[in-house]
Amino acid sequence: SQQGEEDPQALSIQEGENATMNCSYKTSINNLQWYRQNSGRGLVHLILIRSNEREKHSGRLRVTLDTSKKSSSLLITASRAADTASYFCATARGAAGNKLTFGGGTRVLVKP
Amino acid sequence: KAGVTQTPRYLIKTRGQQVTLSCSPISGHRSVSWYQQTPGQGLQFLFEYFSETQRNKGNFPGRFSGRQFSNSRSEMNVSTLELGDSALYLCASSLGQQNYQETQYFGPGTRLLVL
């Protein structure tokens, strides 16, 4: 079963616009990670945010984490056509080693 | 450093056959995890190996098995293939630290089609 639910399932924006997607999860976590996947290929790691962190930045990416609401958001600023991909959140929790539980993903289309 | 590599990249099998997929982790990484991705079920954890031992296991039938070698390379095996086993199988590696706060690096995947 999937721990996370992502919203929206799909997003279509113009190049230069910002894209925001949300992830909700059900249980306490150690950390939450965001990944990108292009056309059914491997996953590319974007950001890891720990449960005691509230916000992290990496280039044009900004991730927030609200553990009281069990939710996270990923913001891509000034989007580019190359950002077209599916984005997944994944949670790691407890003593489950490196087991990641993934959300269903958000498909983002950036139109040039 | 070279990334995670998976072989083969594509595979076609028929129902009832078995298949073995291979994963070579990033040099120095001791943890290898396997995931199955399908349109219907999304990304699901299969199992994790660390130091040649299975450390975690997902909710898959016993037809799915794996192992890890002393050089951290891992294989997964699916026996008695079913049509529903058609999927992208992804391998991920990480250092294997005990604090569970580490990035996992994914390979390109093996796409398995069962006819």
Side-chain angles (χ1 to χ4, degrees), chain A residues 2 31 37 40 96 98 100, chain B residues 35 37 56 94 100-102 104:
Chain A
Q2 292 178 347
N31 65 67
Q37 184 179 43
N98 283 316
L100 291 177
Chain B
Y35 293 82
Q37 185 178 27
N56 276 290
S94 63
Y100 312 128
Q101 301 284 11
E102 54 185 28
Q104 293 194 47

Side-chain angles (χ1 to χ4, degrees), chain B:
Chain B
K1 281 186 181 179
V4 178
T5 58
Q6 293 186 245
T7 56
R9 294 293 309 279
Y10 303 92
L11 206 49
I12 300 175
K13 291 285 187 179
T14 55
R15 278 181 300 174
Q17 287 187 311
Q18 74 166 17
V19 67
T20 298
L21 311 182
S22 181
C23 172
S24 292
I26 292 171
S27 177
H29 285 192
R30 298 169 63 193
S31 168
V32 174
S33 299
W34 289 88
Y35 293 82
Q36 181 197 64
Q37 185 178 27
T38 60
Q41 298 299 315
L43 279 152
Q44 293 188 290
F45 173 81
L46 281 155
F47 28 65
E48 178 200 6
Y49 285 87
F50 176 77
S51 291
E52 302 178 65
T53 301
Q54 189 179 86
R55 186 158 70 171
N56 276 290
K57 188 177 188 302
N59 297 322
F60 279 81
R63 300 186 296 108
F64 292 81
S65 62
R67 60 178 177 168
Q68 186 179 35
F69 302 95
S70 59
N71 62 358
S72 295
R73 188 177 70 85
S74 178
E75 289 181 346
M76 68 162 282
N77 183 274
V78 188
S79 62
T80 320
L81 284 166
E82 300 177 358
L83 295 179
D85 296 333
S86 294
L88 180 67
Y89 290 89
L90 293 162
C91 162
S93 79
S94 63
L95 289 168
Q97 296 168 339
Q98 291 298 307
N99 63 3
Y100 312 128
Q101 301 284 11
E102 54 185 28
T103 297
Q104 293 194 47
Y105 297 88
F106 282 78
T110 293
R111 188 166 293 282
L112 172 64
L113 176 61
V114 181
L115 301 176

Side-chain angles (χ1 to χ4, degrees), chain A residues 9-110:
Chain A
Q9 290 188 336
L11 186 58
S12 180
I13 56 175
Q14 293 293 138
E15 212 166 20
E17 293 181 339
N18 295 341
T20 300
M21 57 211 86
N22 304 294
C23 167
S24 60
Y25 56 91
K26 299 174 184 173
T27 62
S28 61
I29 60 173
N30 289 338
N31 65 67
L32 186 145
Q33 304 181 37
W34 285 91
Y35 288 85
R36 184 185 75 225
Q37 184 179 43
N38 294 86
S39 301
R41 297 179 186 175
L43 298 168
V44 174
H45 183 265
L46 297 176
I47 287 184
L48 181 154
I49 186 165
R50 301 182 181 187
S51 59
N52 60 353
E53 297 176 314
R54 292 296 168 259
E55 188 171 312
K56 264 188 123 167
H57 297 255
S58 176
R60 294 182 296 111
L61 306 178
R62 172 180 171 252
V63 166
T64 62
L65 179 65
D66 187 334
T67 52
S68 66
K69 294 181 180 178
K70 294 186 170 57
S71 68
S72 174
S73 68
L74 170 66
L75 167 67
I76 305 173
T77 60
S79 62
R80 306 167 182 169
D83 295 327
T84 294
S86 290
Y87 292 82
F88 295 89
C89 68
T91 54
R93 62 186 180 95
N98 283 316
K99 174 182 177 180
L100 291 177
T101 304
F102 283 86
T106 294
R107 293 188 311 279
V108 175
L109 172 64
V110 181

